[in-house]
Amino acid sequence: AVLSLGAGAVSFTHIVKAAEPVFTAILSAILIGQTFALPVYASLLPVIFGVGMASFKELNFSWMAFGNAMGSNTFSALRGIVGKKQMGNPMDENMNALNLYSVLTIAALIFILPAAIAIEGGKFSATWAAALAAGYTKKLLLTNIFLSGFFYYMYNEVAFLTLASVHPITHAVGNTLK
C-alpha cells in the first residue's frame, strides 16, 4: 500500500484497498477450498461496485497506484489466509499467533532486506543528510525511526491476534474499516 500511496492520490489507494475482503473471499475458495453461503458473497457486491465507481470517477487515476494497491490487497489476503491456516496447524506448542507473527516478520526481513538495500540503499545517506540540514537532530530521527517501526510492529501484532479469533474475511473487513 505504501508504494500505491507514493504513486497516486491517498484517497484512490484507500478506495482500491477497500476491496481486500473480496480478495480474501476469492483466494480462500481457490487456495483452501473454503466457500461461503451466497449472502456472504452478496454482501461483497456493494464493495466491488463502490470500488469500481469510485475508481472510475477518480481524477488522479494512476495505473501504478492501482497496481500496487491491488498487489497489496492480494498479499494482505494471502497473509490472512495462510496465517489463519497455520494457526490451525501449529508446528509446535509455542507457535501461537504472536510467535507466528514474529517468525513471519523475521522471514520477511531476511527476504526483503537485500532488495531494499539494492534499490533504496544509495538514497539513504542523501536523505539522512537532507533531514539533518533541515534541522532535525540525529537523536530525533533515530527516535522517530524506532517508534515508527515499533508501533507498526505492534499494530500488526494486534491484527494477528485478532486474526486468531476471527475468520480472514471478517479480519479483512475490519482492516478495511480501520
Side-chain angles (χ1 to χ4, degrees), residues 55-127:
S55 297
F56 182 72
K57 296 283 187 179
E58 179 61 45
L59 298 176
N60 298 320
F61 183 87
S62 159
W63 280 107
M64 179 68 78
F66 180 76
N68 284 319
M70 293 298 267
S72 178
N73 281 339
T74 302
F75 288 109
S76 293
L78 286 171
R79 180 188 65 179
I81 293 165
V82 172
K84 184 69 172 186
K85 186 174 182 182
Q86 185 59 42
M87 286 177 203
N89 301 320
M91 295 159 51
D92 187 81
E93 62 191 43
N94 293 324
M95 191 54 78
N96 58 23
L98 294 179
N99 289 337
L100 177 61
Y101 178 69
S102 298
V103 169
L104 288 174
T105 300
I106 292 167
L109 173 69
I110 292 168
F111 178 74
I112 201 69
L113 189 59
I117 291 171
I119 295 169
E120 300 289 341
K123 300 174 187 174
F124 180 78
S125 33
T127 304

Short mmCIF file of all heavy atoms in Angstrom, two decimals, residues 55-127:
data_model
loop_
_atom_site.label_atom_id
_atom_site.label_comp_id
_atom_site.label_asym_id
_atom_site.label_seq_id
_atom_site.Cartn_x
_atom_site.Cartn_y
_atom_site.Cartn_z
N SER A 55 -13.27 4.36 -8.40
CA SER A 55 -12.07 4.34 -9.24
C SER A 55 -12.36 4.99 -10.59
O SER A 55 -11.52 5.71 -11.14
CB SER A 55 -11.58 2.91 -9.47
OG SER A 55 -11.20 2.33 -8.25
N PHE A 56 -13.54 4.74 -11.12
CA PHE A 56 -13.92 5.31 -12.40
C PHE A 56 -13.98 6.83 -12.34
O PHE A 56 -13.63 7.52 -13.28
CB PHE A 56 -15.28 4.72 -12.83
CG PHE A 56 -15.75 5.22 -14.17
CD1 PHE A 56 -15.13 4.78 -15.34
CD2 PHE A 56 -16.81 6.10 -14.26
CE1 PHE A 56 -15.57 5.23 -16.57
CE2 PHE A 56 -17.25 6.56 -15.49
CZ PHE A 56 -16.62 6.12 -16.65
N LYS A 57 -14.42 7.34 -11.20
CA LYS A 57 -14.59 8.78 -11.03
C LYS A 57 -13.30 9.47 -10.57
O LYS A 57 -13.26 10.69 -10.48
CB LYS A 57 -15.69 9.07 -10.01
CG LYS A 57 -17.05 8.60 -10.43
CD LYS A 57 -17.63 9.54 -11.43
CE LYS A 57 -19.07 9.15 -11.73
NZ LYS A 57 -19.68 10.04 -12.66
N GLU A 58 -12.27 8.70 -10.22
CA GLU A 58 -11.03 9.28 -9.70
C GLU A 58 -10.35 10.13 -10.76
O GLU A 58 -10.03 9.65 -11.85
CB GLU A 58 -10.08 8.18 -9.22
CG GLU A 58 -8.76 8.67 -8.68
CD GLU A 58 -8.92 9.56 -7.46
OE1 GLU A 58 -9.69 9.22 -6.56
OE2 GLU A 58 -8.26 10.61 -7.43
N LEU A 59 -10.12 11.38 -10.43
CA LEU A 59 -9.50 12.30 -11.38
C LEU A 59 -8.00 12.05 -11.51
O LEU A 59 -7.41 12.34 -12.54
CB LEU A 59 -9.74 13.75 -10.94
CG LEU A 59 -11.20 14.19 -10.90
CD1 LEU A 59 -11.32 15.60 -10.35
CD2 LEU A 59 -11.83 14.09 -12.28
N ASN A 60 -7.40 11.53 -10.48
CA ASN A 60 -5.96 11.30 -10.47
C ASN A 60 -5.65 9.82 -10.62
O ASN A 60 -4.80 9.29 -9.91
CB ASN A 60 -5.34 11.83 -9.17
CG ASN A 60 -5.53 13.32 -9.03
OD1 ASN A 60 -5.40 14.05 -10.00
ND2 ASN A 60 -5.85 13.77 -7.83
N PHE A 61 -6.33 9.14 -11.53
CA PHE A 61 -6.12 7.70 -11.71
C PHE A 61 -4.68 7.45 -12.16
O PHE A 61 -4.16 8.13 -13.04
CB PHE A 61 -7.08 7.13 -12.75
CG PHE A 61 -6.95 5.64 -12.91
CD1 PHE A 61 -7.64 4.79 -12.10
CD2 PHE A 61 -6.10 5.11 -13.87
CE1 PHE A 61 -7.52 3.41 -12.24
CE2 PHE A 61 -5.96 3.73 -14.02
CZ PHE A 61 -6.67 2.89 -13.20
N SER A 62 -4.06 6.45 -11.55
CA SER A 62 -2.70 6.06 -11.90
C SER A 62 -2.64 4.54 -11.92
O SER A 62 -3.02 3.89 -10.95
CB SER A 62 -1.73 6.63 -10.86
OG SER A 62 -0.52 5.91 -10.88
N TRP A 63 -2.18 3.99 -13.04
CA TRP A 63 -2.07 2.53 -13.11
C TRP A 63 -1.06 2.01 -12.09
O TRP A 63 -1.22 0.92 -11.56
CB TRP A 63 -1.69 2.10 -14.53
CG TRP A 63 -2.87 2.09 -15.45
CD1 TRP A 63 -3.14 2.97 -16.45
CD2 TRP A 63 -3.97 1.16 -15.42
NE1 TRP A 63 -4.35 2.66 -17.05
CE2 TRP A 63 -4.87 1.54 -16.44
CE3 TRP A 63 -4.28 0.06 -14.63
CZ2 TRP A 63 -6.05 0.86 -16.70
CZ3 TRP A 63 -5.46 -0.62 -14.89
CH2 TRP A 63 -6.33 -0.22 -15.91
N MET A 64 -0.02 2.79 -11.82
CA MET A 64 0.99 2.38 -10.83
C MET A 64 0.34 2.29 -9.45
O MET A 64 0.54 1.33 -8.72
CB MET A 64 2.16 3.35 -10.83
CG MET A 64 3.23 3.02 -9.81
SD MET A 64 4.13 1.52 -10.19
CE MET A 64 5.21 2.13 -11.44
N ALA A 65 -0.44 3.30 -9.09
CA ALA A 65 -1.12 3.30 -7.80
C ALA A 65 -2.12 2.15 -7.74
O ALA A 65 -2.21 1.44 -6.73
CB ALA A 65 -1.81 4.64 -7.55
N PHE A 66 -2.88 1.96 -8.82
CA PHE A 66 -3.88 0.90 -8.87
C PHE A 66 -3.21 -0.47 -8.74
O PHE A 66 -3.63 -1.31 -7.94
CB PHE A 66 -4.66 0.99 -10.18
CG PHE A 66 -5.72 -0.07 -10.34
CD1 PHE A 66 -6.91 0.04 -9.66
CD2 PHE A 66 -5.51 -1.16 -11.17
CE1 PHE A 66 -7.90 -0.94 -9.80
CE2 PHE A 66 -6.48 -2.13 -11.31
CZ PHE A 66 -7.67 -2.02 -10.63
N GLY A 67 -2.16 -0.70 -9.51
CA GLY A 67 -1.47 -1.99 -9.48
C GLY A 67 -0.87 -2.29 -8.12
O GLY A 67 -0.97 -3.43 -7.62
N ASN A 68 -0.25 -1.30 -7.50
CA ASN A 68 0.34 -1.52 -6.18
C ASN A 68 -0.72 -1.75 -5.11
O ASN A 68 -0.53 -2.56 -4.21
CB ASN A 68 1.25 -0.35 -5.80
CG ASN A 68 2.56 -0.40 -6.54
OD1 ASN A 68 3.16 -1.45 -6.70
ND2 ASN A 68 3.01 0.75 -7.01
N ALA A 69 -1.85 -1.04 -5.19
CA ALA A 69 -2.93 -1.26 -4.23
C ALA A 69 -3.54 -2.66 -4.41
O ALA A 69 -3.86 -3.34 -3.43
CB ALA A 69 -4.00 -0.19 -4.38
N MET A 70 -3.69 -3.09 -5.67
CA MET A 70 -4.21 -4.43 -5.92
C MET A 70 -3.22 -5.50 -5.43
O MET A 70 -3.62 -6.53 -4.88
CB MET A 70 -4.50 -4.62 -7.41
CG MET A 70 -5.63 -3.75 -7.91
SD MET A 70 -7.19 -4.10 -7.11
CE MET A 70 -7.85 -5.27 -8.25
N GLY A 71 -1.94 -5.26 -5.62
CA GLY A 71 -0.92 -6.17 -5.09
C GLY A 71 -0.97 -6.22 -3.58
O GLY A 71 -0.86 -7.30 -2.97
N SER A 72 -1.17 -5.08 -2.95
CA SER A 72 -1.31 -5.03 -1.50
C SER A 72 -2.53 -5.82 -1.05
O SER A 72 -2.47 -6.55 -0.05
CB SER A 72 -1.41 -3.58 -1.04
OG SER A 72 -1.57 -3.52 0.35
N ASN A 73 -3.65 -5.68 -1.78
CA ASN A 73 -4.85 -6.48 -1.46
C ASN A 73 -4.54 -7.97 -1.53
O ASN A 73 -4.93 -8.74 -0.65
CB ASN A 73 -5.98 -6.16 -2.45
CG ASN A 73 -6.69 -4.87 -2.14
OD1 ASN A 73 -6.64 -4.38 -1.03
ND2 ASN A 73 -7.34 -4.32 -3.14
N THR A 74 -3.87 -8.38 -2.59
CA THR A 74 -3.56 -9.79 -2.78
C THR A 74 -2.70 -10.32 -1.64
O THR A 74 -3.02 -11.36 -1.04
CB THR A 74 -2.83 -10.01 -4.13
OG1 THR A 74 -3.65 -9.52 -5.18
CG2 THR A 74 -2.50 -11.46 -4.36
N PHE A 75 -1.63 -9.61 -1.31
CA PHE A 75 -0.72 -10.10 -0.29
C PHE A 75 -1.29 -9.97 1.12
O PHE A 75 -1.00 -10.81 1.98
CB PHE A 75 0.65 -9.45 -0.42
CG PHE A 75 1.40 -9.96 -1.62
CD1 PHE A 75 1.58 -9.15 -2.72
CD2 PHE A 75 1.87 -11.25 -1.66
CE1 PHE A 75 2.24 -9.63 -3.85
CE2 PHE A 75 2.53 -11.74 -2.78
CZ PHE A 75 2.72 -10.93 -3.87
N SER A 76 -2.13 -8.98 1.36
CA SER A 76 -2.81 -8.89 2.66
C SER A 76 -3.78 -10.06 2.83
O SER A 76 -3.86 -10.66 3.91
CB SER A 76 -3.57 -7.57 2.78
OG SER A 76 -2.69 -6.49 2.83
N ALA A 77 -4.50 -10.39 1.77
CA ALA A 77 -5.42 -11.53 1.82
C ALA A 77 -4.65 -12.83 2.02
O ALA A 77 -5.04 -13.67 2.85
CB ALA A 77 -6.25 -11.59 0.54
N LEU A 78 -3.56 -12.99 1.30
CA LEU A 78 -2.74 -14.20 1.45
C LEU A 78 -2.16 -14.32 2.85
O LEU A 78 -2.14 -15.41 3.43
CB LEU A 78 -1.61 -14.21 0.41
CG LEU A 78 -2.02 -14.51 -1.02
CD1 LEU A 78 -0.85 -14.28 -1.97
CD2 LEU A 78 -2.54 -15.94 -1.15
N ARG A 79 -1.70 -13.21 3.40
CA ARG A 79 -1.16 -13.24 4.77
C ARG A 79 -2.23 -13.70 5.75
O ARG A 79 -1.98 -14.53 6.62
CB ARG A 79 -0.64 -11.86 5.16
CG ARG A 79 -0.06 -11.84 6.58
CD ARG A 79 0.28 -10.47 7.04
NE ARG A 79 -0.95 -9.69 7.15
CZ ARG A 79 -1.01 -8.44 7.54
NH1 ARG A 79 0.09 -7.79 7.82
NH2 ARG A 79 -2.16 -7.82 7.63
N GLY A 80 -3.43 -13.17 5.60
CA GLY A 80 -4.51 -13.56 6.50
C GLY A 80 -4.89 -15.03 6.35
O GLY A 80 -5.06 -15.74 7.34
N ILE A 81 -5.00 -15.49 5.12
CA ILE A 81 -5.40 -16.88 4.87
C ILE A 81 -4.34 -17.86 5.34
O ILE A 81 -4.62 -18.82 6.07
CB ILE A 81 -5.72 -17.09 3.37
CG1 ILE A 81 -6.95 -16.29 2.98
CG2 ILE A 81 -5.90 -18.56 3.05
CD1 ILE A 81 -7.13 -16.14 1.48
N VAL A 82 -3.11 -17.63 4.93
CA VAL A 82 -2.02 -18.54 5.30
C VAL A 82 -1.75 -18.47 6.80
O VAL A 82 -1.55 -19.50 7.44
CB VAL A 82 -0.74 -18.21 4.48
CG1 VAL A 82 0.45 -19.00 4.99
CG2 VAL A 82 -0.98 -18.48 3.01
N GLY A 83 -1.80 -17.27 7.36
CA GLY A 83 -1.61 -17.14 8.81
C GLY A 83 -2.68 -17.88 9.59
O GLY A 83 -2.39 -18.61 10.53
N LYS A 84 -3.93 -17.71 9.18
CA LYS A 84 -5.04 -18.39 9.86
C LYS A 84 -4.92 -19.90 9.71
O LYS A 84 -5.14 -20.65 10.67
CB LYS A 84 -6.37 -17.89 9.30
CG LYS A 84 -7.58 -18.46 9.99
CD LYS A 84 -7.71 -17.93 11.40
CE LYS A 84 -9.03 -18.35 12.01
NZ LYS A 84 -9.26 -17.74 13.31
N LYS A 85 -4.54 -20.35 8.52
CA LYS A 85 -4.39 -21.79 8.30
C LYS A 85 -3.27 -22.36 9.18
O LYS A 85 -3.41 -23.42 9.76
CB LYS A 85 -4.10 -22.06 6.82
CG LYS A 85 -4.06 -23.53 6.48
CD LYS A 85 -3.91 -23.76 5.01
CE LYS A 85 -3.93 -25.26 4.74
NZ LYS A 85 -3.74 -25.56 3.33
N GLN A 86 -2.17 -21.62 9.27
CA GLN A 86 -1.06 -22.09 10.10
C GLN A 86 -1.42 -22.08 11.58
O GLN A 86 -0.99 -22.94 12.32
CB GLN A 86 0.19 -21.22 9.86
CG GLN A 86 1.41 -21.71 10.59
CD GLN A 86 1.80 -23.12 10.22
OE1 GLN A 86 1.77 -23.51 9.07
NE2 GLN A 86 2.14 -23.91 11.21
N MET A 87 -2.26 -21.12 11.99
CA MET A 87 -2.69 -21.09 13.39
C MET A 87 -3.48 -22.34 13.74
O MET A 87 -3.47 -22.79 14.88
CB MET A 87 -3.54 -19.85 13.65
CG MET A 87 -2.77 -18.58 13.71
SD MET A 87 -3.90 -17.18 13.92
CE MET A 87 -2.91 -15.85 13.30
N GLY A 88 -4.16 -22.92 12.74
CA GLY A 88 -4.93 -24.14 12.98
C GLY A 88 -4.08 -25.40 12.98
O GLY A 88 -4.51 -26.45 13.44
N ASN A 89 -2.85 -25.30 12.48
CA ASN A 89 -1.92 -26.43 12.43
C ASN A 89 -0.56 -26.02 12.99
O ASN A 89 0.43 -25.99 12.26
CB ASN A 89 -1.73 -26.92 10.99
CG ASN A 89 -3.01 -27.35 10.34
OD1 ASN A 89 -3.83 -27.99 10.98
ND2 ASN A 89 -3.19 -27.00 9.09
N PRO A 90 -0.48 -25.71 14.28
CA PRO A 90 0.80 -25.23 14.81
C PRO A 90 1.89 -26.30 14.72
O PRO A 90 1.63 -27.48 14.93
CB PRO A 90 0.49 -24.88 16.26
CG PRO A 90 -0.74 -25.63 16.61
CD PRO A 90 -1.50 -25.82 15.32
N MET A 91 3.09 -25.86 14.37
CA MET A 91 4.21 -26.79 14.25
C MET A 91 4.76 -27.16 15.63
O MET A 91 5.45 -28.16 15.77
CB MET A 91 5.32 -26.15 13.40
CG MET A 91 4.85 -25.93 11.99
SD MET A 91 5.68 -24.76 10.98
CE MET A 91 7.34 -25.00 10.96
N ASP A 92 4.45 -26.36 16.61
CA ASP A 92 4.98 -26.56 17.95
C ASP A 92 3.98 -25.99 18.93
O ASP A 92 3.17 -25.13 18.58
CB ASP A 92 6.34 -25.85 18.06
CG ASP A 92 7.04 -26.13 19.36
OD1 ASP A 92 7.68 -27.20 19.47
OD2 ASP A 92 6.94 -25.29 20.27
N GLU A 93 4.05 -26.42 20.17
CA GLU A 93 3.11 -25.93 21.17
C GLU A 93 3.31 -24.44 21.47
O GLU A 93 2.41 -23.76 21.94
CB GLU A 93 3.23 -26.74 22.46
CG GLU A 93 4.59 -26.64 23.11
CD GLU A 93 4.79 -27.65 24.23
OE1 GLU A 93 4.41 -28.81 24.03
OE2 GLU A 93 5.32 -27.26 25.26
N ASN A 94 4.49 -23.91 21.18
CA ASN A 94 4.77 -22.50 21.42
C ASN A 94 4.46 -21.61 20.22
O ASN A 94 4.67 -20.41 20.28
CB ASN A 94 6.24 -22.30 21.81
CG ASN A 94 6.56 -22.93 23.15
OD1 ASN A 94 5.73 -22.90 24.05
ND2 ASN A 94 7.72 -23.50 23.27
N MET A 95 4.00 -22.18 19.13
CA MET A 95 3.75 -21.39 17.92
C MET A 95 2.33 -20.83 17.95
O MET A 95 1.47 -21.21 17.17
CB MET A 95 3.99 -22.23 16.67
CG MET A 95 4.02 -21.41 15.38
SD MET A 95 5.16 -20.05 15.35
CE MET A 95 6.69 -20.89 15.07
N ASN A 96 2.13 -19.88 18.86
CA ASN A 96 0.83 -19.21 18.93
C ASN A 96 0.82 -18.04 17.95
O ASN A 96 1.77 -17.85 17.19
CB ASN A 96 0.56 -18.74 20.37
CG ASN A 96 1.64 -17.80 20.88
OD1 ASN A 96 2.36 -17.17 20.12
ND2 ASN A 96 1.75 -17.72 22.20
N ALA A 97 -0.23 -17.25 17.94
CA ALA A 97 -0.37 -16.16 16.98
C ALA A 97 0.77 -15.15 17.09
O ALA A 97 1.29 -14.69 16.08
CB ALA A 97 -1.72 -15.47 17.16
N LEU A 98 1.17 -14.82 18.32
CA LEU A 98 2.25 -13.85 18.48
C LEU A 98 3.57 -14.37 17.95
O LEU A 98 4.31 -13.66 17.25
CB LEU A 98 2.40 -13.48 19.96
CG LEU A 98 1.24 -12.73 20.58
CD1 LEU A 98 1.50 -12.45 22.06
CD2 LEU A 98 0.97 -11.45 19.85
N ASN A 99 3.90 -15.62 18.28
CA ASN A 99 5.15 -16.19 17.79
C ASN A 99 5.11 -16.40 16.29
O ASN A 99 6.14 -16.22 15.62
CB ASN A 99 5.45 -17.50 18.51
CG ASN A 99 5.84 -17.27 19.96
OD1 ASN A 99 6.28 -16.19 20.33
ND2 ASN A 99 5.68 -18.29 20.78
N LEU A 100 3.97 -16.77 15.75
CA LEU A 100 3.85 -16.93 14.30
C LEU A 100 4.10 -15.60 13.60
O LEU A 100 4.85 -15.54 12.62
CB LEU A 100 2.47 -17.47 13.92
CG LEU A 100 2.20 -17.63 12.43
CD1 LEU A 100 3.17 -18.61 11.80
CD2 LEU A 100 0.76 -18.09 12.21
N TYR A 101 3.52 -14.53 14.12
CA TYR A 101 3.75 -13.21 13.52
C TYR A 101 5.23 -12.83 13.60
O TYR A 101 5.80 -12.29 12.65
CB TYR A 101 2.88 -12.13 14.16
CG TYR A 101 3.15 -10.79 13.55
CD1 TYR A 101 2.79 -10.52 12.23
CD2 TYR A 101 3.83 -9.81 14.26
CE1 TYR A 101 3.07 -9.31 11.64
CE2 TYR A 101 4.12 -8.59 13.66
CZ TYR A 101 3.74 -8.35 12.36
OH TYR A 101 4.04 -7.16 11.78
N SER A 102 5.87 -13.12 14.73
CA SER A 102 7.29 -12.81 14.88
C SER A 102 8.13 -13.57 13.87
O SER A 102 9.03 -13.00 13.23
CB SER A 102 7.76 -13.17 16.30
OG SER A 102 7.08 -12.41 17.26
N VAL A 103 7.86 -14.85 13.69
CA VAL A 103 8.61 -15.66 12.72
C VAL A 103 8.38 -15.15 11.30
O VAL A 103 9.32 -15.03 10.51
CB VAL A 103 8.23 -17.16 12.85
CG1 VAL A 103 8.77 -17.98 11.69
CG2 VAL A 103 8.72 -17.73 14.17
N LEU A 104 7.14 -14.83 10.96
CA LEU A 104 6.84 -14.30 9.63
C LEU A 104 7.54 -12.96 9.39
O LEU A 104 8.05 -12.70 8.30
CB LEU A 104 5.33 -14.13 9.45
CG LEU A 104 4.53 -15.41 9.30
CD1 LEU A 104 3.03 -15.10 9.27
CD2 LEU A 104 4.93 -16.18 8.07
N THR A 105 7.61 -12.13 10.42
CA THR A 105 8.27 -10.84 10.29
C THR A 105 9.77 -11.01 10.06
O THR A 105 10.36 -10.34 9.21
CB THR A 105 8.01 -9.98 11.54
OG1 THR A 105 6.60 -9.78 11.68
CG2 THR A 105 8.69 -8.63 11.45
N ILE A 106 10.39 -11.91 10.81
CA ILE A 106 11.83 -12.16 10.63
C ILE A 106 12.09 -12.75 9.25
O ILE A 106 13.03 -12.33 8.56
CB ILE A 106 12.35 -13.08 11.76
CG1 ILE A 106 12.31 -12.32 13.09
CG2 ILE A 106 13.78 -13.57 11.44
CD1 ILE A 106 12.51 -13.20 14.31
N ALA A 107 11.27 -13.69 8.81
CA ALA A 107 11.43 -14.27 7.48
C ALA A 107 11.27 -13.20 6.39
O ALA A 107 12.03 -13.17 5.42
CB ALA A 107 10.44 -15.41 7.27
N ALA A 108 10.29 -12.32 6.56
CA ALA A 108 10.07 -11.25 5.60
C ALA A 108 11.27 -10.30 5.56
O ALA A 108 11.70 -9.86 4.48
CB ALA A 108 8.80 -10.48 5.93
N LEU A 109 11.83 -9.99 6.72
CA LEU A 109 13.01 -9.13 6.77
C LEU A 109 14.18 -9.75 6.01
O LEU A 109 14.82 -9.09 5.19
CB LEU A 109 13.41 -8.86 8.22
CG LEU A 109 14.73 -8.09 8.39
CD1 LEU A 109 14.57 -6.65 7.91
CD2 LEU A 109 15.20 -8.15 9.82
N ILE A 110 14.43 -11.02 6.26
CA ILE A 110 15.53 -11.71 5.57
C ILE A 110 15.29 -11.73 4.06
O ILE A 110 16.20 -11.54 3.27
CB ILE A 110 15.68 -13.14 6.13
CG1 ILE A 110 16.19 -13.07 7.58
CG2 ILE A 110 16.62 -13.98 5.27
CD1 ILE A 110 16.10 -14.39 8.33
N PHE A 111 14.06 -11.91 3.66
CA PHE A 111 13.71 -11.98 2.24
C PHE A 111 13.82 -10.63 1.54
O PHE A 111 14.35 -10.52 0.44
CB PHE A 111 12.28 -12.54 2.09
CG PHE A 111 11.80 -12.62 0.69
CD1 PHE A 111 12.27 -13.59 -0.18
CD2 PHE A 111 10.85 -11.71 0.22
CE1 PHE A 111 11.81 -13.67 -1.48
CE2 PHE A 111 10.40 -11.77 -1.10
CZ PHE A 111 10.89 -12.76 -1.95
N ILE A 112 13.36 -9.57 2.20
CA ILE A 112 13.24 -8.28 1.53
C ILE A 112 14.44 -7.36 1.75
O ILE A 112 14.67 -6.44 0.95
CB ILE A 112 11.93 -7.56 1.93
CG1 ILE A 112 11.52 -6.51 0.91
CG2 ILE A 112 12.04 -6.95 3.31
CD1 ILE A 112 11.07 -7.04 -0.39
N LEU A 113 15.22 -7.58 2.79
CA LEU A 113 16.33 -6.68 3.09
C LEU A 113 17.33 -6.53 1.94
O LEU A 113 17.71 -5.40 1.61
CB LEU A 113 17.05 -7.10 4.38
CG LEU A 113 18.08 -6.12 4.92
CD1 LEU A 113 17.44 -4.77 5.22
CD2 LEU A 113 18.73 -6.69 6.16
N PRO A 114 17.77 -7.60 1.29
CA PRO A 114 18.70 -7.41 0.17
C PRO A 114 18.12 -6.53 -0.96
O PRO A 114 18.82 -5.66 -1.49
CB PRO A 114 18.97 -8.83 -0.33
CG PRO A 114 18.68 -9.70 0.85
CD PRO A 114 17.57 -9.02 1.58
N ALA A 115 16.86 -6.73 -1.28
CA ALA A 115 16.23 -5.91 -2.32
C ALA A 115 16.11 -4.46 -1.87
O ALA A 115 16.34 -3.53 -2.66
CB ALA A 115 14.86 -6.48 -2.68
N ALA A 116 15.75 -4.25 -0.61
CA ALA A 116 15.63 -2.88 -0.10
C ALA A 116 16.97 -2.16 -0.13
O ALA A 116 17.04 -0.98 -0.53
CB ALA A 116 15.07 -2.90 1.33
N ILE A 117 18.03 -2.86 0.24
CA ILE A 117 19.36 -2.24 0.21
C ILE A 117 19.77 -1.95 -1.23
O ILE A 117 20.29 -0.87 -1.53
CB ILE A 117 20.39 -3.14 0.92
CG1 ILE A 117 20.10 -3.15 2.42
CG2 ILE A 117 21.81 -2.67 0.64
CD1 ILE A 117 20.90 -4.17 3.21
N ALA A 118 19.50 -2.89 -2.13
CA ALA A 118 19.88 -2.70 -3.53
C ALA A 118 19.12 -1.53 -4.17
O ALA A 118 19.69 -0.74 -4.92
CB ALA A 118 19.63 -3.98 -4.32
N ILE A 119 17.83 -1.41 -3.86
CA ILE A 119 17.00 -0.38 -4.51
C ILE A 119 17.10 0.96 -3.80
O ILE A 119 17.22 2.01 -4.45
CB ILE A 119 15.52 -0.86 -4.57
CG1 ILE A 119 15.42 -2.08 -5.49
CG2 ILE A 119 14.62 0.27 -5.05
CD1 ILE A 119 14.08 -2.78 -5.42
N GLU A 120 17.05 0.96 -2.49
CA GLU A 120 16.98 2.21 -1.73
C GLU A 120 18.27 2.58 -1.02
O GLU A 120 18.41 3.69 -0.52
CB GLU A 120 15.86 2.11 -0.68
CG GLU A 120 14.49 1.88 -1.25
CD GLU A 120 13.93 3.09 -1.97
OE1 GLU A 120 14.40 4.22 -1.75
OE2 GLU A 120 13.01 2.90 -2.78
N GLY A 121 19.21 1.64 -0.92
CA GLY A 121 20.41 1.87 -0.12
C GLY A 121 21.19 3.11 -0.50
O GLY A 121 21.68 3.85 0.37
N GLY A 122 21.34 3.38 -1.77
CA GLY A 122 22.10 4.53 -2.22
C GLY A 122 21.45 5.86 -1.88
O GLY A 122 22.11 6.90 -1.86
N LYS A 123 20.16 5.85 -1.61
CA LYS A 123 19.43 7.08 -1.31
C LYS A 123 19.49 7.45 0.17
O LYS A 123 19.17 8.57 0.54
CB LYS A 123 17.97 6.94 -1.73
CG LYS A 123 17.78 6.66 -3.20
CD LYS A 123 16.32 6.39 -3.51
CE LYS A 123 16.13 5.94 -4.94
NZ LYS A 123 14.76 5.55 -5.22
N PHE A 124 19.89 6.49 1.01
CA PHE A 124 19.79 6.70 2.45
C PHE A 124 20.66 7.86 2.93
O PHE A 124 20.20 8.74 3.64
CB PHE A 124 20.16 5.42 3.22
CG PHE A 124 20.07 5.59 4.71
CD1 PHE A 124 18.85 5.56 5.34
CD2 PHE A 124 21.22 5.83 5.46
CE1 PHE A 124 18.75 5.75 6.71
CE2 PHE A 124 21.13 6.02 6.83
CZ PHE A 124 19.90 5.97 7.45
N SER A 125 21.95 7.88 2.55
CA SER A 125 22.82 8.92 3.09
C SER A 125 22.40 10.31 2.63
O SER A 125 22.47 11.27 3.40
CB SER A 125 24.29 8.66 2.78
OG SER A 125 24.48 8.04 1.57
N ALA A 126 21.94 10.44 1.39
CA ALA A 126 21.49 11.74 0.92
C ALA A 126 20.24 12.19 1.66
O ALA A 126 20.11 13.38 2.03
CB ALA A 126 21.22 11.69 -0.58
N THR A 127 19.32 11.28 1.90
CA THR A 127 18.09 11.60 2.64
C THR A 127 18.41 11.95 4.08
O THR A 127 17.85 12.91 4.64
CB THR A 127 17.10 10.42 2.57
OG1 THR A 127 16.86 10.10 1.21
CG2 THR A 127 15.80 10.75 3.26
#
